Amino acid sequence: MPSMPSSERVTSGLAALAALLADETRARFCLALLDGRAWTAGELARHAGVAPSTASAHIDRLVEGGLLAAERQGRHRYVRLADAQVAHLIEDLAAHAAPGHGRPDRPRTLRAASAAGALARGRTCYDHLAGRLGIAVTEAMTERGLLRQDTGFALTDAGLRWFAGLGAPLAPSGRRPLARGCLDWTERRPHLAGIAGAALCHHALEAEWCERIGSTRAVQVTPEGERALTELLGVPAAALR
Amino acid sequence: MPSMPSSERVTSGLAALAALLADETRARFCLALLDGRAWTAGELARHAGVAPSTASAHIDRLVEGGLLAAERQGRHRYVRLADAQVAHLIEDLAAHAAPGHGRPDRPRTLRAASAAGALARGRTCYDHLAGRLGIAVTEAMTERGLLRQDTGFALTDAGLRWFAGLGAPLAPSGRRPLARGCLDWTERRPHLAGIAGAALCHHALEAEWCERIGSTRAVQVTPEGERALTELLGVPAAALR
DNA sequence: CCCACGTTACGGTCGCGGCCGAAGAGTCCG
DNA sequence: CGGACTCTTCGGCCGCGACCGTAACGTGGG
């Protein structure tokens, strides 16, 4: 007879996992890494405003705990989130921690304002699209009957065909669901994540429907992308700017 | 222009939330409360093996942080998880913390073995069914075309009708999704959660398809429930024992 | 009315863990 | 081969927070 993992083990596992994120510096690391890219240890240290030695120790703990994956290249140590499941976990926690409580605060400088505006307009969230762009696409897919959100969150058969027609057929892979809702921080509504979300984002960048602004996680829609999204999904052009 | 919540705020919110669960005693509280019932402060203290004063302070912090809801009744203070979203969060974290890492350990005593067996067989998970029972029902619904798991996780129209026919029509309510997958600790596969999962569990207890064993979260299927589940969903009777 | 029990408030102890700086190991470049 | 750079290791400092015991508080029962 299969036995459950003992309750002590679950308890300490939960506490240990939470402890990893309970430190401001490590939390900042994880949120930064939510952009899906790999950062070097030094970049993370500067980003969080701590000494390199401190950052190094934190990274060790996060890797040890299975949240991060590290890879050495020359004199750099590249670090990224371990997998999509971890990204999902952090998103969920952040979404629960952030919202409602206290209204969004006004950016202090013009520079900050335009950066925040760009992020609110469109950005990547780990490996899929978020912000107004992500929501607009998700809503359009729902209205066209490609996605079903009323009874859960799943692609329809038409949705599967749509992806195939796009040249990005979806293959079920391991544990990761084909479609998942990911709560959008700025829009407070779910956008498309999972394998389909990743495929769509990948395709959008590949086909130059949108492009990264500088090296940030913010993205903007190209004129070509605007045409494609309007034509393929009926996304109102206004929602993309 | 709407601005994002500042990154500092999100960071400290995330760290603060994680810190609540980063303590073994508080983690134990939350896991105990996952049974969906309300516990008194004293019960939690004894359960975790700490002094009442310690438990009280922990409860304060958890309530303050929005994870728990407390309610005074006479000289008792009843405490439960704040809402389904919090329950979901804790489940997700526990599921990520527990599994794979280290195989399940053997129960030491006969008593522990039979308790673990009962929990593995069937139990409640917050407000829905879990364990082999929960999985069997979820799988049966999927095979009957009431639930779609291949492209995400959502009820089908047939599924909606099935619930209506059961006398438990599902009404969309607030933010909570109608159907959601909840990763089962023992079975490592998703079982039905969300509004539908809660409705099904409620109905199952109401119609005495199953009943709680003592005052634990473990449930067992009644002969009547066995008939009903086999007839309505084609659940193999063997999966219910 | 008083006692028992569950709960809360306070003060004090103790250990864990985050932080830095300085020195060392490894890598790339001129 | 030496200098610049990145990252890691080590030692030591400091503060936060988990814990308990004690004492007060409130409720419900006898």
Side-chain angles (χ1 to χ4, degrees):
Chain A
M1 172 175 313
S3 59
M4 306 187 57
S6 80
S7 119
E8 284 76 26
R9 187 174 296 216
V10 176
T11 303
S12 28
L14 172 56
L17 176 59
L20 289 177
L21 297 170
D23 177 76
E24 290 238 355
T25 301
R26 286 193 295 267
R28 196 179 290 268
F29 283 8
C30 291
L31 290 175
L33 289 164
L34 259 192
D35 70 354
R37 297 180 310 155
W39 294 48
T40 68
E43 282 172 336
L44 285 174
R46 281 188 298 277
H47 175 73
V50 296
S53 55
T54 304
S56 183
H58 283 311
I59 291 173
D60 282 348
R61 289 194 56 179
L62 290 166
V63 169
E64 177 73 18
L67 292 185
L68 264 46
E71 193 177 339
R72 329 197 62 112
Q73 253 179 49
R75 54 182 163 182
H76 293 282
R77 183 200 205 182
Y78 285 97
V79 153
R80 53 184 172 71
L81 293 182
D83 55 33
Q85 201 185 349
V86 168
H88 179 195
L89 204 60
I90 295 173
E91 282 159 14
D92 259 17
L93 278 164
H96 188 273
H101 323 299
R103 55 235 144 277
D105 23 41
R106 309 200 165 281
R108 304 244 182 309
T109 66
L110 187 58
R111 194 185 185 80
S114 89
L119 281 169
R121 211 158 21 239
R123 64 181 183 277
T124 55
C125 171
Y126 192 55
D127 60 4
H128 53 271
L129 296 173
R132 279 207 301 282
L133 169 60
I135 293 293
V137 169
T138 304
E139 290 303 312
M141 291 185 70
T142 306
E143 289 201 3
R144 293 238 155 170
L146 307 180
L147 188 62
R148 177 150 206 186
Q149 290 194 62
D150 57 340
T151 61
F153 201 103
L155 285 175
T156 61
D157 292 316
L160 284 178
R161 286 192 298 272
W162 186 84
F163 272 95
L166 200 63
L170 302 176
S173 140
R175 329 192 103 278
R176 196 176 186 195
L178 228 52
R180 234 196 59 222
C182 169
L183 190 60
D184 196 288
W185 296 1
T186 42
E187 300 294 311
R188 304 280 177 76
R189 302 162 67 181
H191 56 240
L192 177 65
I195 292 182
L200 180 59
C201 177
H202 182 75
H203 182 84
L205 287 169
E206 199 74 20
E208 296 186 346
W209 289 357
C210 55
E211 56 196 9
R212 297 199 115 92
I213 301 177
S215 60
T216 68
R217 57 194 295 195
V219 299
Q220 65 188 344
V221 178
T222 63
E224 196 176 318
E226 206 169 291
R227 258 197 312 278
L229 290 173
T230 305
E231 183 182 329
L232 285 170
L233 290 173
V235 181
L240 302 174
R241 301 188 183 118
Chain B
M1 170 176 313
S3 57
M4 305 187 58
S6 79
S7 119
E8 283 79 25
R9 187 173 296 213
V10 176
T11 303
S12 26
L14 171 57
L17 176 59
L20 288 178
L21 298 169
D23 177 77
E24 290 237 358
T25 301
R26 285 194 296 267
R28 194 179 293 268
F29 284 7
C30 291
L31 289 175
L33 289 164
L34 258 193
D35 69 355
R37 297 180 310 155
W39 295 49
T40 68
E43 282 172 336
L44 286 174
R46 281 187 297 276
H47 175 73
V50 295
S53 55
T54 304
S56 182
H58 283 310
I59 291 173
D60 283 347
R61 288 193 58 178
L62 289 166
V63 169
E64 177 73 18
L67 291 186
L68 264 46
E71 191 177 342
R72 329 196 61 111
Q73 253 179 50
R75 55 179 164 184
H76 292 283
R77 184 201 205 183
Y78 285 97
V79 157
R80 53 183 172 73
L81 293 183
D83 56 32
Q85 200 185 349
V86 169
H88 178 196
L89 205 59
I90 295 172
E91 283 159 13
D92 259 17
L93 278 164
H96 188 273
H101 325 299
R103 55 234 144 276
D105 22 41
R106 310 203 165 281
R108 306 245 181 309
T109 67
L110 188 59
R111 193 186 186 77
S114 90
L119 280 169
R121 210 158 23 239
R123 64 182 182 276
T124 56
C125 171
Y126 192 55
D127 60 3
H128 53 271
L129 297 173
R132 279 208 300 284
L133 169 60
I135 293 292
V137 169
T138 304
E139 291 302 313
M141 292 186 69
T142 305
E143 290 201 4
R144 292 238 155 170
L146 308 179
L147 188 62
R148 177 150 206 186
Q149 291 192 65
D150 56 340
T151 62
F153 202 102
L155 285 174
T156 62
D157 292 315
L160 284 178
R161 285 192 298 272
W162 186 84
F163 272 96
L166 200 62
L170 302 176
S173 140
R175 331 191 101 281
R176 197 174 186 196
L178 228 52
R180 234 196 58 222
C182 171
L183 191 60
D184 195 288
W185 295 2
T186 41
E187 301 294 311
R188 304 280 176 78
R189 301 162 66 182
H191 55 240
L192 178 64
I195 291 181
L200 180 60
C201 177
H202 181 76
H203 182 85
L205 288 169
E206 198 74 19
E208 295 185 345
W209 289 358
C210 54
E211 55 196 11
R212 297 200 112 92
I213 302 176
S215 61
T216 67
R217 56 194 297 194
V219 298
Q220 64 187 345
V221 178
T222 63
E224 196 176 319
E226 208 170 289
R227 258 198 312 278
L229 288 172
T230 305
E231 184 181 328
L232 285 169
L233 291 173
V235 181
L240 302 176
R241 302 190 183 116

